[in-house]
Amino acid sequence: MVTLNILYVVASLLIFASIMTSTLSARLGVPLLLFFLGVGMLAGEEGILGIEFAEYNLANFIGQAALACILLDGGLRTSMRSFRVGLKPAVTLASLGVLVTVLVAGIFTTWLLDVDWRLGVLMAAIVGSTDAAAVFSLLRNGGVKLNDRVQATLEIESGANDPLAILLVTVMITLNLDPTSQGIGDIIFMLISQIGIGLVLGLLSGWALSKMLPKVYLADGMYAILILSAGLIVFGITNLLGGSGFLAVYLAGVVIGNTKVRATEHVLRVMDSFAWLSQAVLFVVLGLLVQPSGILEVIHYSLLIFIFLLFVARPIAVFSSLLPFRFGIREIGFISWVGLRGAVPITLAIIPVTMAVPGADLAFNITFGMVILSLLVQGATIPLMSRLFRVWVPTNNEPKAEHEIWVADQANITLYEFEVKQGAFAIGRHPQSISSKFDAQALSLFALVRHNKLVNVNEDTILKMGDVVWYAMRGDDAPSIAKIFNNSATQYQKNSEFYGDWLLSPHARIADLPFYNLAARSLATNASSRLPKPVASALDIFTVPPQVGVMTGIDEDLVNKLTEAKNQTVEEFMMQYFKTEPVKGDEVYLNETWSLIVRDVDGRGRLRGVGLKNKIKKEV
């Protein structure tokens, strides 16, 4: 009994310490998952507490259960819009990308370690896939908003690449133990089974659970437990039938999460806690499992393989996978950089150890070192690299929080929380009359909080910096209202630097835009004598106000391009350059100086706002 109580205390203490490090993680800019690992390692056999833990089978059991929970939560929070935007490139990355990564990294690892090619490729297969736990955690809590295409591609890839990674690891383990037991036909059948069974069971179970939820009446906290238990059932049954349980539970979560019913909100609230607990337990257990001295002995190998994976193997895989989808070079560069490794590679590295594969201990220690390097280097630099590769988008049009209150099984009211930021346009305005653009009936003030206390609102109440306002709204006005609360002169300048100083309607014709006339006027003024006759004739029909000055950066090619498209709308003109669904931040270059940038997109992928940007800062 004493031993059991000690176990309770130690286990709970480790989780408590891991969670408390979250504040330190935010201050230092180091991923929280790395602190979880650190707590486990400090408590381990060579750490402060000296806990001896070498139960690889138990760690594998805990790891797979935790990953199933994390993937279920990730699926619940993945919108169908993400699938429309990122499904095709993500699936290509999760298949072709993984194969290319394993092939290229396998050759390098075999050469570097001077081992049998089967062991080298096995090690490459272990680290060949990105990790869902790390990707979901770091991208969604990394303090930066990525453009939807990049975010969706990375998240779906991490949720979908496990089947192929597991298949490759299984095949390579078999080849290491018995080279004559696996044929090409067996490998192909296993791959089809993993993906096919996982896909079918995931979608069917998700559909069945989404239909069941509205008909089940439980206490609010029970819905998440119901879905979690059902998800683990799907995970286990799929694995028993030879499919990918990880893929099945992720897809089940996607289907359930996109079915808006009363129970869904309760599920999301509680599942967030389950997912965090799973991550904490998983990484602490993995930290207990490893011996730091073993990592240090091979850390130079981990570093060299990590560098090769980061700068060679992953970029080759991403470039070859995303090139057909017309991803920009900056998007490809960022996706290459954020090939995060985490719990999945370590969990896969446990399997060869439990099956006594020769060289498995070496593979485990090298993998663990690579995960630490990945979290430290890639995870900690996501905000920096997102700005370097310009895949971030301004976040001034998002409310601080939102909560759904369900008043019936299929009827809800959404409450939005806004905080008055320093210099915001909302300062000095009445909370019920923040803008004449919004109908007072569509914007119902729910609460005003000042210094953590409710404020009674009267006709003389005005908003101050730091106030928190809650509105009950219908429609899609939340992004516009958020700008009033978040936008200051500084934020407005940042938006202008990102989107440009001109806001264009996507439905306006090119010929009706001032830019069209200004382009012609500039070229006519500066270079009319050099123009071909067709272009000079076209300029004769342009009308330009005499007070408008000459624009910079206008060339003959730009005028020709606009002349050919003068009867198109701005949206039609831009859409011909997009092969995938547009997202905020997408840019169409008119020439080296001028570009059109997507400012907003509706739920159907149609443009709602376009910015016109001039890279040469001169007055018109």
Side-chain angles (χ1 to χ4, degrees):
M1 194 66 177
V2 174
T3 303
L4 187 61
N5 286 324
I6 292 175
L7 179 62
Y8 289 152
V9 171
V10 172
S12 301
L13 181 63
L14 291 178
I15 301 301
F16 180 83
S18 301
I19 300 300
M20 289 302 295
T21 56
S22 61
T23 55
L24 183 62
S25 169
R27 292 177 183 175
L28 298 179
V30 178
L32 180 58
L33 302 182
L34 193 59
F35 278 87
F36 291 166
L37 275 178
V39 169
M41 294 170 69
L42 286 174
E45 184 176 351
E46 297 181 357
I48 298 174
L49 299 182
I51 299 174
E52 295 185 9
F53 183 80
E55 300 294 332
Y56 286 92
N57 287 315
L58 177 60
N60 185 39
F61 170 78
I62 294 173
Q64 295 212 29
L67 285 171
C69 178
I70 293 165
L71 281 166
L72 176 62
D73 179 70
L76 288 169
R77 300 173 193 281
T78 302
S79 67
M80 290 308 298
R81 169 166 170 74
S82 297
F83 267 69
R84 292 202 310 270
V85 170
L87 179 60
K88 292 181 180 179
V91 169
T92 307
L93 268 178
S95 53
L96 176 63
V98 172
L99 285 173
V100 173
T101 301
V102 172
L103 177 62
V104 176
I107 294 172
F108 177 77
T109 302
T110 301
W111 169 81
L112 177 67
L113 301 178
D114 192 22
V115 295
D116 184 83
W117 70 269
R118 297 174 186 84
L119 179 60
V121 176
L122 172 60
M123 295 178 63
I126 289 172
V127 298
S129 64
T130 57
D131 178 60
V135 169
F136 289 146
S137 174
L138 295 176
L139 292 190
R140 295 180 180 181
N141 303 285
V144 63
K145 171 66 175 174
L146 304 176
N147 83 50
D148 290 342
R149 182 183 301 107
V150 170
Q151 179 116 2
T153 299
L154 285 168
E155 289 186 354
I156 297 173
E157 177 206 7
S158 69
N161 63 11
D162 291 325
L164 185 56
I166 293 171
L167 170 69
L168 292 174
V169 170
T170 303
V171 169
M172 295 313 302
I173 288 175
T174 305
L175 288 177
N176 274 272
L177 295 175
D178 187 2
T180 62
S181 63
Q182 286 283 357
I184 298 297
D186 297 325
I187 296 174
I188 294 175
F189 176 76
M190 190 183 301
L191 176 60
I192 294 174
S193 299
Q194 284 274 312
I195 297 176
I197 295 175
L199 183 67
V200 172
L201 288 184
L203 293 176
L204 285 179
S205 60
W207 176 82
L209 290 169
S210 66
K211 294 298 181 183
M212 182 191 72
L213 275 179
K215 300 176 182 179
V216 177
Y217 296 93
L218 302 169
D220 292 350
M222 299 293 288
Y223 287 105
I225 299 175
L226 176 69
I227 293 302
L228 177 59
S229 60
L232 291 176
I233 291 172
V234 172
F235 175 74
I237 291 177
T238 306
N239 286 333
L240 287 173
L241 295 177
S244 170
F246 291 126
L247 179 61
V249 75
Y250 176 69
L251 290 176
V254 172
V255 176
I256 297 169
N258 283 275
T259 304
K260 301 295 290 183
V261 294
R262 181 173 189 158
T264 308
E265 179 67 16
H266 303 309
V267 171
L268 290 174
R269 290 179 185 177
V270 183
M271 277 300 302
D272 190 44
S273 298
F274 284 158
W276 275 111
L277 178 61
S278 297
Q279 291 185 62
V281 171
L282 172 59
F283 280 87
V284 169
V285 168
L286 294 177
L288 284 170
L289 193 64
V290 71
Q291 294 184 2
S293 61
I295 299 176
L296 292 176
E297 288 177 1
V298 296
I299 192 63
H300 55 292
Y301 290 133
S302 298
L303 178 61
L304 291 174
I305 296 174
F306 169 72
I307 291 174
F308 183 84
L309 199 66
L310 181 61
F311 292 106
V312 181
R314 173 74 176 175
I316 291 175
V318 173
F319 185 82
S320 60
S321 299
L322 299 185
L323 190 61
F325 300 100
R326 291 187 181 178
F327 272 62
I329 192 65
R330 291 194 296 267
E331 292 175 324
I332 291 176
F334 181 78
I335 293 174
S336 298
W337 182 265
V338 189
L340 291 163
R341 269 65 188 176
V344 169
I346 299 176
T347 304
L348 292 178
I350 291 174
I351 301 175
V353 176
T354 61
M355 299 185 70
V357 174
D361 290 333
L362 174 66
F364 180 81
N365 287 327
I366 289 178
T367 299
F368 211 106
M370 289 183 61
V371 168
I372 294 175
L373 291 170
S374 178
L375 292 175
L376 190 60
V377 176
Q378 295 169 286
T381 57
I382 286 177
L384 173 65
M385 301 307 288
S386 70
R387 285 170 170 77
L388 180 64
F389 286 105
R390 289 192 60 207
V391 296
W392 67 282
V393 292
T395 56
N396 67 314
N397 64 341
E398 295 182 356
K400 184 178 180 180
E402 60 181 273
H403 295 285
E404 291 180 331
I405 299 178
W406 288 82
V407 295
D409 287 341
Q410 296 183 354
N412 67 298
I413 298 172
T414 304
L415 296 178
Y416 294 91
E417 179 186 8
F418 303 92
E419 181 179 355
V420 182
K421 301 294 180 63
Q422 182 178 7
F425 301 140
I427 294 177
R429 289 177 165 81
H430 191 277
Q432 190 62 62
S433 306
I434 56 173
S435 175
S436 59
K437 296 180 180 179
F438 305 109
D439 184 1
Q441 296 181 350
L443 185 67
S444 178
L445 177 64
F446 182 75
L448 171 61
V449 180
R450 180 174 294 163
H451 305 307
N452 296 317
K453 296 181 180 180
L454 282 174
V455 175
N456 293 324
V457 179
N458 55 46
E459 61 182 13
D460 296 325
T461 302
I462 60 172
L463 294 173
K464 300 179 181 180
M465 187 189 76
D467 285 354
V468 175
V469 188
W470 287 86
Y471 291 109
M473 287 186 289
R474 61 176 184 267
D476 55 355
D477 291 330
S480 299
I481 295 173
K483 293 178 181 179
I484 298 175
F485 282 87
N486 299 339
N487 243 337
S488 61
T490 302
Q491 183 66 45
Y492 181 82
Q493 181 180 358
K494 290 181 179 178
N495 286 346
S496 297
E497 291 174 354
F498 187 87
Y499 291 115
D501 294 321
W502 291 273
L503 175 61
L504 308 179
S505 167
H507 308 300
R509 290 193 320 135
I510 295 292
D512 295 333
L513 296 177
F515 174 69
Y516 179 71
N517 292 332
L518 291 171
R521 170 69 179 270
S522 176
L523 191 61
T525 303
N526 294 325
S528 58
S529 61
R530 301 195 308 271
L531 286 177
K533 291 183 179 180
V535 178
S537 299
L539 295 179
D540 293 338
I541 64 172
F542 294 166
T543 57
V544 183
Q547 69 274 18
V548 178
V550 178
M551 297 184 74
T552 60
I554 305 301
D555 56 27
E556 184 177 318
D557 291 336
L558 175 55
V559 174
N560 284 331
K561 184 183 296 185
L562 295 176
T563 302
E564 293 174 359
K566 66 179 182 180
N567 292 321
Q568 292 182 321
T569 65
V570 173
E571 183 175 30
E572 291 170 343
F573 177 77
M574 296 183 71
M575 289 300 292
Q576 65 186 341
Y577 292 93
F578 300 140
K579 192 170 183 178
T580 58
E581 186 172 314
V583 297
K584 289 201 305 185
D586 277 351
E587 193 167 5
V588 173
Y589 294 93
L590 299 174
N591 65 358
E592 294 181 355
T593 303
W594 291 93
S595 62
L596 297 168
I597 303 178
V598 177
R599 292 184 66 113
D600 200 6
V601 182
D602 66 13
R604 298 180 181 179
R606 297 175 302 191
L607 305 189
R608 294 182 58 183
V610 176
L612 175 63
K613 185 175 183 179
N614 179 13
K615 297 179 182 178
I616 299 180
K617 298 293 184 180
K618 292 184 179 181
E619 293 186 358
V620 176

